[in-house]
Structure formats: structure tokens, C-alpha cells
């Protein structure tokens, strides 16, 4: 299985297909704001008891089930698992965009911890903002989140807000 | 044949990850249509005009959604990335991370970058349409709305577009060298660009010196005597155009203190409860900054501040005033407005009252404006956009548009990303449905590069850009900056050809 995962990650690059963000570096948990950065992939222990199962619902409504490591952010998981969510994580986890917006069930949302003003500021620009919206780059995986469902919002043209440059 | 086998193996691998059926269908479509996945003479060829976020996000989606599509991106300058390089503020390096994804797109085997090609001058839209099945216009908004008031041509009056271009190293703005020897600057407009300019004018030089701001701009700002920046809007606090991130940055900007007019906020607290969450939080932050007595720590911080910023509401410019010799700006005359109606649609109405503010620098930040590119391309000169439906240009089959030329010059980068994906989706839909004919072979870049060669135009490829890039990064390292931008087209070309 480990070999399959490694192959899967290598495949797009090796075979000349679209190489998805192989250079991405995201903020890990504990360093919530831009400035300090670390590579989270590869630094986590590979023990299976640290694995957390996440069910993503993609923009087409399909369920994608993957495992992430405790301590990774949800954005790390999307990148590590090479999940194909268009445009997800454009600023690479530096709290400068809202493209890793995810929507949770209320019970899960309550377990996700405090939201900083800076995350709220970026969420305010997210499409399809809900009361239980968070940015994936700010959600740290813990064992208590095992089995959680995270929905990638659809991008729908007509509900978009536009931010005028003029007053 | 090798390519095809590789693609099929790739698709099998992808199957294990599941949940990508639509992606898979498109892949198979691509394979069955032409017999092989890419590099076929009958592959759909698309030309994207402009290499800013809109161009790159459109290309990214096209390459992914159609495994047989080949995309060429044309850019007027020798360097890519448009407003990510020349618009995004130097102290927002996080936003520039999108360049990593754009670079991967540019390095994709089915994508090519051609810089130093001026569409409309070196090559016409008609010629591009001969060479490609589809042309996507994503050339942005290079013009700006003018204030249309007397005195706006005086020395010391700049458009925010040029001022931003100056500190970001846009070659055409290199000569701007604004005079920063006055004490007060007035910025007209309250969007994010206005706040970027205010922040750059007031930031401690220590913050700027480790960014990719140009060295001449950094030197000028180090000597700047500007101590006070007023950011003026024609409507009220509830209509302010900036987003909360940029406002919070002003509130927290080291060495500065806010200076607001309490009267501007009359009735605002009462209106809060009916506002949607983003507008509500933005307004609350403004109210708190303007009206609340700060805590002890914040009071201490503010008392040490040597620079001041303030939002001014209900004011429209009516004349830029000059010094007695008419050599430069000495102030601005503002009409006092009231607002009729409520919310986003509220209108500014003149009260007849007028006031004057002394200042030595005026920056108008009242919006960018797209310009027409070619008589072949329909253009709505009132809205300053290319008329379109979800990116399909009206009455012009084979022409598409994305980014600011499609929507008007508003929105953050995620907005442009989504609208560019939408345009790419429209284009792929048209290919799939046959309403865009891609069955006949088109010559693509072969035709265009030959034509450019005849005209003495030598495009800059992406690997040429990487040479410029590595020189910039190396020069930056010396000064502890992420890069030191090359400031002239001549030097860019020289480095590209080294």
C-alpha cells in the first residue's frame, strides 16, 4: 500500500501529466500565521495509530476517503494525497486567500477549536460562506477528528460577491 | 505510442484514488478523439492573451480538463505573472505563492509561454484566430479611471496604478519618481489598492526592506517626509470598498495611529445588525478603531506613533489645487456629500458644502479600466469590459475572455481564479459539444512564431524567463530580499538572451 501511494504521488510527474504542486510547502499546525514555515510531509511518524480518517466531499458531491497524520493540517492532507480539488490552497497555507474553504457538520465544527480574527477575515471572502466554514490550512488533525466529513463548497458563479475597488 | 501507454498507465493509477469520474471521462474523450493523448496535429490549440492570474488559471484548467489541448500564453512584457508581480503589494509575499502553481502550468508539456509579444501590434487577433481554434483574452485592465477634475495633471498627482507600478518595478512606471517631501498625502478611493498605497507610504522602512520592493522605491521611501495619509471615499463607512484583511493591516501597522472623524460614523452602529457577516465584521473593525477608547497597551502604542492614517468619508474631489507658481500640488478641494439609500447601492449626493485639505501628494485610486485590444473584438466602452456570457465573447465565435477584462477590475485573486475556471469550462464545453469546431488541424505556435520572426520579434520563452528570475533572486539575496527586480525591458531581454 505504501508503494502504491508512493507510485501514485510520483505518477503525475514521471508520466508528464499535470504535476500538481509538488513544490508546495504549507504551514503546519502550531504556526498559524505566515512567517514560520515548515515542511510537514515526511516529518510525521508513520505509525498507523497516528492516522486520522477524513471523508472529503468534492465539488461534484463525491466522497473521497483518505487518511492523514495527527498534526497535519487538512490542506497538508489534500496536497499529500494529491486530491484533485480545483484551485485548492492557492496561497499554500499562508492565510492569504480563501481557496481551502471547507464546510463541516456542526458537531465537527465545534471540535475544531478557536478561529483567529485573521482566519475569519479570509473566510469573509470565501464563496458560499456558512456558519460552520473553516479554512483547511488552519485545521489541525487530532485523533478526536477521526471519521470527520469535510465538504469542499461548490463554486457557483451567481452567488459570488464582488469586492469593488472604488468607494 | 509511448506517450499513449504512459497516459493509460497514469489513468489506471488514478483510478485507485477514486472519486474522479468526470476527470476520467474527459481523459478518455481526449484519447479516443485523436488516437493519442497529446502533441497531435488535430489537438485543440488555444491561445491565451496575457500571463496574469486570469491567463494562467484559464490555461491550468484547460490543460487539465482536456488532455489533448495545447495552450500557448502570450505576454507583452518579457516577464510573466502580470499583477502578481506588478500589482500585489511587496509586503504580501504570501499572495505571490500562486506563482509556484503558475510555474508548474508553464512547464507543462502542453503549455508554452511567449513573452515580449505585443498582441494588437506584433500580431493581430485575426492572425491568432487563423492559428488557433480558440483565443482567450485575459489581458487585464491597464488603463485607469480618471477623476476628471481640474488640476489632475499637476506634478504630484498620480494614479494608484502608476504609483503601484513604480514601487513594484513595472518598466513603464520607472520614471515616476514621486516627490515624497511633503507631510500629507491624500488618496482618493478606499479599495484595497488605496490601502496598499497607504500602507507602503507609512510602513517602517525595516518592514519594506526585506520585500521585493524596487531599490529606487525603497530609497525614496526611506527619505520620505510623509507623516499623514488620508484615504478619501465619496460614500460612507458602510460602503467602503476595501476588505477586512487590508483594514486590519492598517490598524496594526507599527509606528502609526488612526485618525478618524467620529461624525462620519453617525448611525453606523445601528445599521450593523442588518449587514451580512463580511460587511458587518469590516464595519465593526472600523467603528472600533474610530470610536472606542483603546486599552492601555494600544494607547501606549499609539502615543509613540510618528505617522497618522485616516479614512475620510462623504467627500468627492472637485479640484486639485496648486501652489502659487503652478508647479505642484498644494491641496485638494473636496465636495461634501451625503448618502441616499442604503447598503451597497447607496448613492453619493452633493450637499453644496465644500472643504479644502492641504497636501503635497494626491493619488487617485478610483479603479482600473480595461482597454480595447483590436477592432475585431467587441468592447463595451461604458462598462470597459469585453461583453460576454460566462466567458464566451458575444458575437465572436472562437473568442473567449477571463479575468478583469471579463468582469471589470474588482475582486481578490480567488475571484479571478474562479472566473477563469468558469471561462475554461465554457471553452471545454464548446469543444465537447462541437459548437467550437476543433476537428480541422490548426498550426498554432508554428504559424505565429514564423510570423513573428518575419516581423523581427523575438519571443521570450519560459526558460528564458527562468534566467531572468535566477538573476533577480541572486541580486535580491545580497540585500536580504526575495528578489531584486530587473527594471527595464532592455535588461530583461538582455538577460533572457544571455
Amino acid at each position: 500500500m505504501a508503494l502504491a501511494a508512493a507510485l501514485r504521488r510520483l505518477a503525475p510527474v514521471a508520466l508528464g501529466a499535470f504535476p500538481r504542486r509538488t513544490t508546495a510547502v504549507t504551514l503546519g499546525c502550531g504556526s498559524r500565521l505566515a512567517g514560520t514555515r515548515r515542511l510537514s510531509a515526511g516529518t510525521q511518524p508513520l505509525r498507523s495509530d497516528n492516522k486520522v480518517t477524513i471523508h472529503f466531499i468534492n465539488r461534484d458531491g463525491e466522497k473521497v476517503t483518505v487518511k492523514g497524520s495527527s498534526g497535519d493540517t487538512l490542506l497538508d492532507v489534500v496536497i499529500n494525497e494529491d486530491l484533485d480539488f480545483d484551485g485548492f490552497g492557492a496561497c499554500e497555507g499562508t492565510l492569504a486567500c480563501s481557496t481551502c474553504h471547507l464546510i463541516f457538520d456542526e458537531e465537527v465544527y465545534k471540535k475544531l477549536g478557536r478561529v483567529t480574527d485573521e482566519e475569519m477575515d479570509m473566510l469573509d471572502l470565501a464563496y458560499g460562506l456558512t456558519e460552520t466554514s473553516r479554512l483547511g490550512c488552519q485545521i489541525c488533525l487530532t485523533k478526536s477528528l477521526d471519521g470527520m466529513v469535510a465538504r469542499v463548497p461548490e463554486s457557483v458563479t451567481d452567488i459570488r460577491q464582488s469586492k469593488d475597488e472604488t468607494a | 505510442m509511448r506517450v499513449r501507454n504512459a497516459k493509460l498507465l497514469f489513468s489506471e493509477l488514478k483510478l485507485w484514488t477514486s472519486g474522479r469520474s468526470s476527470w476520467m471521462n474527459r481523459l478518455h474523450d481526449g484519447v479516443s478523439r485523436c488516437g493519442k493523448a497529446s502533441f497531435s496535429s488535430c489537438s485543440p490549440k488555444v491561445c491565451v492573451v496575457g500571463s496574469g492570474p486570469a491567463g494562467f488559471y484559464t490555461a491550468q484548467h484547460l490543460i487539465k480538463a482536456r488532455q489533448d489541448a495545447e495552450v500557448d500564453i502570450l505576454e507583452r512584457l518579457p516577464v510573466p505573472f502580470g499583477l502578481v508581480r506588478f500589482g500585489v503589494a511587496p509586503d504580501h509575499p504570501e499572495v505571490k505563492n500562486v506563482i509556484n502553481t503558475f510555474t508548474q502550468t508553464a512547464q507543462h508539456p502542453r503549455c508554452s509561454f511567449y513573452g515580449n509579444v505585443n498582441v494588437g501590434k506584433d500580431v493581430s487577433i485575426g492572425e491568432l484566430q487563423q492559428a488557433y481554434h480558440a483565443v482567450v483574452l485575459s489581458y487585464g485592465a491597464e488603463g485607469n479611471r480618471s477623476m476628471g477634475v481640474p488640476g489632475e495633471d499637476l506634478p504630484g498627482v498620480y494614479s494608484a496604478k502608476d504609483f503601484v507600478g513604480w514601487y513594484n518595478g513595472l518598466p513603464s512606471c520607472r520614471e515616476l519618481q514621486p516627490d515624497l517631501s511633503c507631510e500629507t498625502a491624500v488618496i482618493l478611493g478606499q479599495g484595497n489598492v488605496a490601502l496598499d498605497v497607504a500602507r507602503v507610504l507609512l510602513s517602517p522602512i525595516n518592514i519594506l526592506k526585506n520585500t521585493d520592493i524596487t531599490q529606487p522605491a525603497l530609497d525614496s521611501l526611506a527619505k520620505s517626509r510623509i507623516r499623514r495619509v488620508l484615504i478619501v471615499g465619496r460614500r460612507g463607512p458602510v460602503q467602503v470598498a476595501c476588505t477586512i484583511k487590508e483594514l486590519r493591516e492598517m490598524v496594526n501597522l507599527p509606528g502609526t495611529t488612526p485618525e478618524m472623524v467620529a461624525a462620519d460614523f453617525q448611525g453606523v452602529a445601528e445599521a450593523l445588525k442588518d449587514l451580512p457577516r463580511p460587511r458587518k465584521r469590516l464595519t465593526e473593525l472600523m467603528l472600533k478603531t474610530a470610536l472606542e477608547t483603546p486599552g492601555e497597551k494600544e494607547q501606549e502604542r499609539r502615543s509613540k506613533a510618528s505617522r497618522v492614517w485616516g479614512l475620510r468619508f462623504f467627500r468627492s474631489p472637485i479640484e486639485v489645487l496648486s501652489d502659487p507658481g503652478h508647479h505642484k500640488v498644494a491641496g485638494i478641494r473636496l465636495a461634501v456629500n451625503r448618502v441616499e439609500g442604503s447598503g451597497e447601492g447607496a448613492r453619493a449626493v452633493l450637499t453644496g458644502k465644500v472643504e479644502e485639505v492641504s497636501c503635497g501628494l494626491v493619488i487617485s485610486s478610483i479603479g482600473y479600466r480595461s482597454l480595447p485590444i483590436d477592432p475585431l473584438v467587441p468592447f463595451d466602452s461604458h462598462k470597459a469590459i469585453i461583453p460576454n456570457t460566462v466567458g464566451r465573447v458575444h458575437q465572436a465565435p472562437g473568442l473567449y475572455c477571463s479575468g478583469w477584462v471579463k468582469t471589470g477590475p474588482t475582486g481578490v485573486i480567488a475571484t479571478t481564479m474562479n472566473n477563469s475556471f468558469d471561462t475554461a469550462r465554457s471553452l471545454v464545453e464548446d469543444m465537447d459539444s462541437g459548437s467550437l469546431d476543433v476537428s480541422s488541424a490548426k498550426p498554432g505556435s508554428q504559424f505565429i512564431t514564423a510570423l513573428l520572426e518575419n516581423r523581427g520579434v523575438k519571443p521570450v520563452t519560459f526558460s528564458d524567463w527562468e534566467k531572468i528570475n535566477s538573476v533577480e533572486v541572486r541580486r535580491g539575496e545580497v540585500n536580504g530580499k526575495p528578489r531584486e527586480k530587473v527594471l527595464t525591458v532592455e535588461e530583461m531581454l538582455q538577460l533572457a538572451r544571455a
Side-chain angles (χ1 to χ4, degrees):
Chain A
M1 198 52 214
L3 178 65
L7 262 176
R8 196 173 62 217
R9 208 175 300 169
L10 283 172
V13 182
L15 303 177
F18 197 76
R20 209 185 124 71
R21 238 199 313 275
T22 48
T23 57
V25 178
T26 66
L27 282 174
C29 294
S31 50
R32 298 178 86 87
L33 286 171
T36 44
R37 306 168 121 234
R38 68 181 176 90
L39 252 179
S40 58
T43 59
Q44 297 302 322
L46 287 168
R47 295 208 317 276
S48 61
D49 55 2
N50 276 332
K51 291 287 178 184
V52 179
T53 301
I54 307 130
H55 308 286
F56 286 100
I57 311 288
N58 72 14
R59 295 193 215 278
D60 297 326
E62 296 158 343
K63 192 193 260 190
V64 187
T65 299
V66 293
K67 283 186 191 296
S69 302
S70 290
D72 276 1
T73 69
L74 281 178
L75 176 61
D76 290 333
V77 175
V78 170
I79 290 168
N80 293 344
E81 294 297 313
D82 192 25
L83 300 183
D84 186 22
F85 306 149
D86 250 1
F88 200 85
C91 80
E92 303 184 355
T94 55
L95 262 186
C97 75
S98 54
T99 57
C100 63
H101 173 201
L102 293 168
I103 299 170
F104 300 89
D105 293 337
E106 203 166 333
E107 311 83 77
V108 176
Y109 180 82
K110 283 179 190 155
K111 287 198 265 180
L112 297 178
R114 207 176 82 82
V115 192
T116 62
D117 284 342
E118 287 75 14
E119 182 184 349
M120 289 286 263
D121 291 355
M122 293 321 304
L123 273 172
D124 279 355
L125 304 178
Y127 298 134
L129 178 67
T130 71
E131 289 298 315
T132 56
S133 289
R134 291 289 305 265
L135 294 181
C137 68
Q138 302 299 304
I139 307 291
C140 223
L141 288 185
T142 59
K143 204 63 199 159
S144 71
L145 295 173
D146 193 48
M148 78 196 296
V149 176
R151 188 159 61 81
V152 186
E154 291 171 61
S155 58
V156 183
T157 313
D158 55 3
I159 59 160
R160 275 178 204 156
Q161 54 198 331
S162 75
K163 292 283 157 193
D164 204 328
E165 292 290 347
T166 58
Chain B
M1 218 33 220
R2 257 185 90 185
V3 171
R4 184 184 177 181
N5 283 340
K7 291 281 173 192
L8 289 175
L9 174 62
F10 171 47
S11 69
E12 284 157 19
L13 285 168
K14 282 281 177 184
L15 267 177
W16 299 345
T17 65
S18 75
R20 295 188 206 191
S21 54
S22 59
W23 190 87
M24 288 297 303
N25 290 340
R26 285 193 183 135
L27 176 65
H28 286 306
D29 275 0
V31 172
S32 59
R33 198 185 315 267
C34 277
K36 58 178 172 174
S38 64
F39 300 111
S40 159
S41 59
C42 65
S43 61
K45 292 189 171 63
V46 180
C47 178
V48 172
V49 179
S51 72
F56 267 107
Y57 279 126
T58 308
Q60 175 184 328
H61 194 86
L62 283 173
I63 287 167
K64 193 176 113 187
R66 282 284 299 217
Q67 294 290 309
D68 56 347
E70 290 173 29
V71 181
D72 292 339
I73 303 176
L74 305 189
E75 165 61 48
R76 181 172 54 188
L77 285 165
V79 296
F81 310 136
L83 280 186
V84 178
R85 179 180 165 104
F86 296 116
V88 172
D91 60 343
H92 285 169
E94 322 82 40
V95 179
K96 302 186 197 203
N97 282 347
V98 295
I99 284 176
N100 297 331
T101 304
F102 297 167
T103 297
Q104 289 187 347
T105 300
Q107 290 170 336
H108 190 279
R110 287 184 283 113
C111 184
S112 302
F113 171 81
Y114 297 95
N116 194 39
V117 178
N118 191 346
V119 174
K121 187 166 159 266
D122 298 334
V123 56
S124 71
I125 295 290
E127 288 162 338
L128 293 179
Q129 288 198 283
Q130 275 176 49
Y132 295 91
H133 294 100
V135 176
V136 182
L137 301 158
S138 48
Y139 61 85
E142 60 174 306
N144 54 269
R145 289 172 53 196
S146 66
M147 293 186 284
V149 302
E152 69 178 318
D153 298 323
L154 277 169
V157 184
Y158 305 98
S159 72
K161 185 185 79 71
D162 289 346
F163 192 83
V164 169
W166 169 70
Y167 66 64
N168 276 334
L170 186 65
S172 59
C173 300
R174 193 170 69 98
E175 307 291 334
L176 198 78
Q177 292 165 355
D179 180 357
L180 307 179
S181 63
C182 58
E183 194 187 295
T184 299
V186 167
I187 301 173
L188 299 154
Q190 297 176 322
N192 285 340
V193 176
L195 267 67
D196 281 350
V197 170
R199 201 174 63 251
V200 166
L201 282 172
L202 294 176
S203 281
I205 216 72
N206 276 344
I207 291 181
L208 294 177
K209 77 176 192 336
N210 298 116
T211 70
D212 67 2
I213 192 166
T214 68
Q215 199 56 43
L218 190 63
D219 295 342
S220 270
L221 288 163
K223 285 180 255 162
S224 164
R225 287 159 66 187
I226 291 172
R227 291 290 171 270
R228 185 163 173 257
V229 175
L230 299 178
I231 307 155
V232 179
R234 63 196 160 89
R235 297 186 293 171
V238 185
Q239 287 83 30
V240 76
C242 62
T243 55
I244 189 167
K245 178 193 172 192
E246 280 71 14
L247 180 66
R248 198 182 296 282
E249 284 174 318
M250 288 308 301
V251 172
N252 295 332
L253 189 65
T256 70
T257 184
E259 178 204 279
M260 309 279 223
V261 178
D264 283 350
F265 292 87
Q266 254 175 22
V268 172
E270 292 70 35
L272 270 182
K273 62 180 196 312
D274 300 321
L275 298 174
R277 171 179 140 176
R279 173 65 69 186
K280 183 169 181 238
R281 292 186 66 247
L282 174 62
T283 311
E284 277 170 346
L285 179 60
M286 247 183 303
L287 272 174
K288 180 168 179 256
T289 309
L291 303 181
E292 272 183 28
T293 310
E296 205 173 306
K297 213 172 141 195
E298 174 66 6
Q299 270 187 21
E300 197 191 324
R301 189 188 78 86
R302 289 189 189 180
S303 68
K304 285 185 191 153
S306 60
R307 299 179 174 193
V308 174
W309 64 277
L311 294 164
R312 290 290 178 278
F313 296 97
F314 310 109
R315 301 289 185 275
S316 301
I318 42 180
E319 185 178 358
V320 181
L321 308 167
S322 72
D323 63 349
H326 298 278
H327 300 303
K328 58 180 197 139
V329 173
I332 188 159
R333 185 172 293 136
L334 300 167
V336 180
N337 303 326
R338 60 187 169 81
V339 161
E340 252 176 29
S342 63
E344 314 271 336
R347 286 173 54 240
V349 182
L350 296 175
T351 61
K353 272 188 260 173
V354 163
E355 66 179 32
E356 285 176 14
V357 177
S358 298
C359 62
L361 180 67
V362 171
I363 294 174
S364 91
S365 183
I366 55 172
Y368 288 46
R369 189 181 166 87
S370 290
L371 305 173
I373 191 169
D374 188 297
L376 263 185
V377 182
F379 193 79
D380 179 336
S381 52
H382 178 66
K383 291 185 190 159
I385 58 167
I386 295 174
N388 71 91
T389 305
V390 203
R392 297 175 179 96
V393 178
H394 289 170
Q395 277 130 19
L399 281 186
Y400 298 80
C401 58
S402 62
W404 279 4
V405 78
K406 168 189 178 185
T407 60
T410 64
V412 294
I413 207 151
T415 326
T416 290
M417 182 181 86
N418 281 303
N419 98 47
S420 303
F421 287 169
D422 286 343
T423 293
R425 271 183 218 115
S426 295
L427 179 40
V428 169
E429 258 173 51
D430 291 353
M431 286 181 189
D432 291 347
S433 72
S435 65
L436 178 72
D437 181 17
V438 292
S439 61
S440 58
K442 291 266 192 176
S445 60
Q446 266 187 344
F447 176 82
I448 296 301
T449 47
L451 191 140
L452 290 171
E453 198 178 328
N454 281 338
R455 293 173 186 172
V457 178
K458 214 173 160 210
V460 170
T461 65
F462 201 75
S463 55
D464 292 339
W465 147 249
E466 286 173 325
K467 289 192 244 169
I468 304 173
N469 182 45
S470 64
V471 170
E472 289 188 338
V473 170
R474 214 165 49 231
R475 288 180 187 173
E477 273 170 12
V478 181
N479 297 320
K481 298 164 89 172
R483 71 175 62 240
E484 191 63 63
K485 289 179 188 168
V486 172
L487 300 180
T488 66
V489 169
E490 293 72 33
E491 196 189 354
M492 289 171 184
L493 293 177
Q494 204 184 343
L495 292 170
R497 270 137 215 186

